[in-house]
Amino acid sequence: MPNTAAPLPSGASADAVNVSAMPAYVDEQSDGSWMDEWQHNLTQSMNYTAQQLDSYFAMKGSSRFEDARAQGRLSLGWEPRTRDISEVDLRFNIRVKLPALKDRVDLLLSDDEDYDESASIKAARQPIERRRDNTTIALRYRSSEDAKVSYRIGTGRRGQIYVKSRFADMAAYSSQLALFYDAEAYYYTRDRAGAEVGATVQYITQRDHVFRFNHRFYYRDRSEDWIWRHEGQYLQPLNQHAAMIYTLFTEGGSQPDYRLNEVYISSKWRSNPTREWLFFEVEPFLIFLRDEDFKPSYGVAMRVEVYYGSNS
């Protein structure tokens, strides 16, 4: 089973146990059903598009562009809650490697500028992310596959052009305890400058249960304020194909004063009982929003998530 539903053995990286991280492969076994045929055709068509794009950068006579591959996921969810029963959420991200550029440049297409953001209900996302028209396309450059610094240029947030630089690293204190940290600086043509900094402490038990504590701060130059977010998460494997993820996070800001804006509690069941690339999620949740006078809003999110990758 891919690492999205259960943690890998002790010492695995943060992405290895991220409940929404993209798996490095998809199941190559097929029973010949229409679902497997559809997933295979989706992968083939995305790879063909990637090869056509990469061929523009390939040197004359080179056939390396034929190695270009695309990898991504599609997620469709219904997130009804009290006071809003019609919320439908479509999420996607696509990553295209460009071997003609020595695998240092990726093309990224997503519904959100943060391609590694863990999935959460739309109502609970950071205010910048809640804006409806947030489709992002960008080129990301890294000097090597394991480079700690990356750079992006693209368009997002209602058609704004932006540039971004990001530093990310980790410190492993043992096979079970690790610290992951990152910092970003970016500039948007209308929203102007901004910055983010975050740190995650992760502990993996001997039974492969995962505890994660994440703290993140966002600064926005246009409004001269900052947003903070504190999150705790516990991942409990149930069997080879299912896991429970329990989440509690709080979010607030500094304007007009330092105050709490949101509290979110959820319990998510995530499973892929039939295929490595097909996931189902059911997530009962409780959310308190300042915009709703902190009146409790109860809901349940139901999602279907499909992965496609270069190895299928």
Side-chain angles (χ1 to χ4, degrees):
M1 175 185 177
N3 49 45
T4 53
L8 295 180
S10 298
S13 69
D15 286 341
V17 293
N18 189 331
V19 297
S20 64
M22 187 179 301
Y25 63 92
V26 291
D27 189 14
E28 296 184 2
Q29 297 181 352
S30 170
D31 60 8
S33 72
W34 68 268
M35 294 179 62
D36 295 293
E37 186 68 20
W38 174 83
Q39 194 266 355
H40 176 75
N41 289 338
L42 174 63
T43 297
Q44 293 298 102
S45 62
M46 294 303 296
N47 286 344
Y48 175 78
T49 302
Q51 292 165 8
Q52 294 300 305
L53 176 64
D54 198 47
S55 66
Y56 288 107
F57 301 100
M59 296 181 61
K60 185 177 182 179
S62 171
S63 61
R64 196 178 180 200
F65 68 89
E66 296 175 358
D67 297 328
R69 295 291 184 269
Q71 186 178 29
R73 72 167 180 257
L74 303 172
S75 175
L76 179 62
W78 181 38
E79 303 172 353
R81 65 183 181 95
T82 51
R83 294 187 294 278
D84 189 355
I85 65 171
S86 61
E87 188 71 87
V88 176
D89 191 23
L90 173 64
R91 306 204 74 183
F92 63 91
N93 68 43
I94 303 168
R95 183 173 64 224
V96 178
K97 286 198 170 186
L98 303 175
L101 296 177
K102 300 182 180 180
D103 290 324
R104 295 179 178 179
V105 177
D106 297 337
L107 175 66
L108 306 173
L109 177 64
S110 174
D111 65 303
D112 195 286
E113 67 191 54
D114 189 348
Y115 301 89
D116 303 317
E117 180 75 11
S118 60
S120 61
I121 68 167
K122 186 179 292 185
R125 292 177 199 153
Q126 198 266 345
I128 294 175
E129 301 162 11
R130 293 177 192 150
R131 297 171 182 170
R132 302 286 179 170
D133 186 11
N134 234 15
T135 301
T136 298
I137 183 169
L139 288 173
R140 178 179 63 181
Y141 170 80
R142 295 176 294 176
S143 59
S144 64
E145 285 286 339
D146 58 352
K148 298 176 182 178
V149 179
S150 63
Y151 306 92
R152 294 180 189 173
I153 181 170
T155 178
R157 288 191 198 171
R158 310 171 316 284
Q160 298 181 76
I161 296 174
Y162 75 92
V163 292
K164 175 186 292 190
S165 61
R166 184 174 191 265
F167 170 84
D169 199 2
M170 68 162 291
Y173 300 104
S174 69
S175 61
Q176 295 174 284
L177 180 63
L179 170 67
F180 301 86
Y181 52 95
D182 67 272
E184 298 183 1
Y186 41 83
Y187 186 88
Y188 283 79
T189 51
R190 293 196 301 273
D191 288 349
R192 301 193 295 183
E196 300 179 17
V197 61
T200 299
V201 177
Q202 175 178 284
Y203 179 75
I204 305 177
T205 71
Q206 295 292 345
R207 298 176 59 190
D208 283 341
H209 292 212
V210 180
F211 293 89
R212 305 183 77 185
F213 303 95
N214 179 59
H215 306 277
R216 194 158 194 89
F217 299 88
Y218 309 78
Y219 175 75
R220 300 182 298 183
D221 180 59
R222 182 177 182 180
S223 52
E224 296 184 348
D225 68 341
W226 55 275
I227 298 168
W228 53 266
R229 179 170 180 171
H230 306 300
E231 179 180 20
Q233 192 174 76
Y234 167 56
L235 189 152
Q236 176 189 16
L238 300 178
N239 54 49
Q240 186 180 2
H241 294 281
M244 292 296 299
I245 302 101
Y246 304 94
T247 301
L248 166 64
F249 77 69
T250 60
E251 182 182 272
S254 63
Q255 296 292 345
D257 51 37
Y258 186 91
R259 64 183 187 179
L260 177 68
N261 291 329
E262 173 184 341
V263 177
Y264 175 76
I265 304 170
S266 77
S267 175
K268 180 194 299 184
W269 173 81
R270 179 174 171 86
S271 179
N272 62 341
T274 60
R275 288 166 175 80
E276 293 286 334
W277 51 267
L278 179 62
F279 285 82
F280 301 96
E281 292 184 354
V282 178
E283 182 180 8
F285 63 87
L286 174 63
I287 187 170
F288 303 85
L289 299 174
R290 175 173 290 277
D291 293 343
E292 299 175 357
D293 298 322
F294 289 110
K295 295 178 181 178
S297 182
Y298 304 88
V300 58
M302 294 163 283
R303 305 184 189 92
V304 177
E305 191 169 78
V306 173
Y307 288 81
Y308 61 90
S310 59
N311 295 332
S312 58

